[in-house]
Amino acid sequence: MKGFRTVGSAQRFLSSLSRISPHFRPPRHRMTATDHRTELSARFQVWNQVTEQTRTA
């Protein structure tokens, strides 16, 4: 619980993280290094678009 003041705040963080983290973890064992870098680049572009829209809203 490092950095969290309550168990509830840690649970809220982990709950939201569990929904987001698979987006940044493609199946590396089935990809070449070049494909992995390309896929991560595309996923980060999507993430930046999504977070930019929520920041301005």
Side-chain angles (χ1 to χ4, degrees):
M1 277 195 34
K2 291 183 178 184
F4 295 104
R5 296 185 190 274
T6 65
V7 173
S9 64
Q11 185 61 43
R12 280 190 303 278
F13 171 76
L14 292 173
S15 175
S16 62
L17 182 68
S18 68
R19 294 181 201 142
I20 297 167
S21 63
H23 181 74
F24 298 105
R25 288 188 277 154
R28 282 185 289 185
H29 63 284
R30 290 184 257 160
M31 306 173 112
T32 64
T34 303
D35 291 342
H36 182 258
R37 284 190 292 272
T38 304
E39 182 67 25
L40 273 184
S41 176
R43 290 181 184 207
F44 272 105
Q45 286 176 354
V46 169
W47 178 251
N48 288 336
Q49 290 172 354
V50 169
T51 56
E52 188 64 34
Q53 287 176 358
T54 57
R55 240 185 279 162
T56 58

